[in-house]
């Protein structure tokens, strides 16, 4: 097996969230919070032409999570699931992934909509979002089942459409 | 700024590609190659319930790329663009991201469609794909412009729809 891989942050997130409890989660969660992706000054040339893309993938580090669980109970369900079938922060490699909408660029700062990271979160990569899987082809496994159960208990809470956030 | 982050592979990719020249790239590239995501034996419990999802995000390492360029000319264009506006393997943190379709699971092996990684590529995370940005809301910046120029030069080659591959 390959040796360890060492990453360095390319920047950090400015977000309205300072505590994980503030971040919308679960069925019907809306991810429309605005924030800023602040890239290190030396790396600003790497943002050239990014303004033309409407959406970006942001790869970041769950820097306030420690350790991992192979099985865990997400906030969206009362049953445990494998970590690779969830967005849990407690993962073998604590990498987060979020799709954001790019609102504008001011030099090395990208104003975006859809942040679900804590303020100060380290960013390790930014990539253009080029195409999405059409909604009618996506199956959402245990999450769809948990949402169906939740909306039976609490009608009006389910939102099978989901947001663009990909935490 | 935060300290370095150390990742360990959670498994590796079995792919038909042994050389980057074999991987479809550029406008009209189809990403329908089948492969296997092979997770380490110790981590197999983390795959519980993953069968219910139709698509997955795979995060992996460009382990055969060395160094990075802040500006580079992608295979899809004759003009240079910032690395964060491209899928170049020569990135500050050499992380790749691919959306694959999950065809089936055999224990710790996930059979998938849409691999664009080399055989043996280290995987660092797998996440469920929950929702996509609708096609009509996606703007694809320089890539759409390059495709338009390419299809003027070589009609029939352009494919604005793209695949689900997110290399």
């Amino acid at each position: 097996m390959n040796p360890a891989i060492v990453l360095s942050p390319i920047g950090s997130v400015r977000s309205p969230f300072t505590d994980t409890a503030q971040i919308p989660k679960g069925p019907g969660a809306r991810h429309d919070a605005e924030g800023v992706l602040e890239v290190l000054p030396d790396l600003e040339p790497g943002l050239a032409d990014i303004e033309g893309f409407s959406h970006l993938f942001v790869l970041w580090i769950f820097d306030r999570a420690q350790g991992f669980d192979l099985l865990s109970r997400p906030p969206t369900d009362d049953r445990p699931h494998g970590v690779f079938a969830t967005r849990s922060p407690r993962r073998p490699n604590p990498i987060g992934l979020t799709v954001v909408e790019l609102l504008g660029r001011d030099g090395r700062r990208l104003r975006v909509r859809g942040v679900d990271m804590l303020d100060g979160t380290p960013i390790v990569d930014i990539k253009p979002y080029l195409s999405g899987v059409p909604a009618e082809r996506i199956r959402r496994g245990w999450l769809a089942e948990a949402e169906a159960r939740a909306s039976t208990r609490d009608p009006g809470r389910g939102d099978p459409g989901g947001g663009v956030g990909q935490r």
Side-chain angles (χ1 to χ4, degrees), chain A:
Chain A
M1 186 47 64
N2 312 69
I5 302 116
V6 180
L7 307 182
S8 288
I10 63 159
S12 58
V13 180
R14 297 295 150 228
S15 145
F17 306 123
T18 54
D19 189 291
T20 52
Q22 301 164 340
I23 301 174
K25 291 183 194 70
R30 292 272 163 213
H31 293 291
D32 50 13
E34 294 187 16
V36 173
L37 311 179
E38 203 168 276
V39 168
L40 297 179
D42 289 356
L43 301 179
E44 182 177 334
L47 296 175
D49 299 333
I50 204 164
E51 307 85 314
F53 293 90
S54 59
H55 295 77
L56 303 173
F57 286 114
V58 186
L59 279 69
W60 46 277
I61 302 297
F62 287 104
D63 62 328
R64 276 152 278 190
Q66 295 214 323
F68 67 90
D69 308 297
L70 289 178
L71 285 171
S72 69
R73 210 186 322 262
T76 32
D77 202 355
D78 51 6
R79 304 175 189 192
H81 304 286
V83 65
F84 301 121
T86 76
R87 298 267 166 173
S88 166
R90 295 175 51 80
R91 333 180 56 78
N93 290 305
I95 311 181
L97 172 64
T98 302
V99 176
V100 296
E101 183 180 355
L102 179 58
L103 303 174
R105 176 181 166 196
D106 310 307
R108 64 192 183 90
R109 293 181 183 80
L110 303 178
R111 287 180 298 108
V112 298
R113 180 181 292 132
V115 295
D116 60 357
M117 311 83 147
L118 292 171
D119 189 50
T121 291
I123 302 171
V124 291
D125 205 2
I126 298 172
K127 298 177 189 289
Y129 184 102
L130 303 180
S131 65
V133 178
E136 64 275 15
R137 288 184 49 209
I138 302 174
R139 277 188 303 115
R140 295 160 64 251
W142 67 261
L143 186 62
E145 294 164 22
E147 287 176 359
R149 286 197 303 275
S151 68
T152 306
R153 286 194 301 271
D154 177 9
R157 194 158 165 260
D159 172 24
V164 297
Q166 294 281 10
R167 185 172 189 129

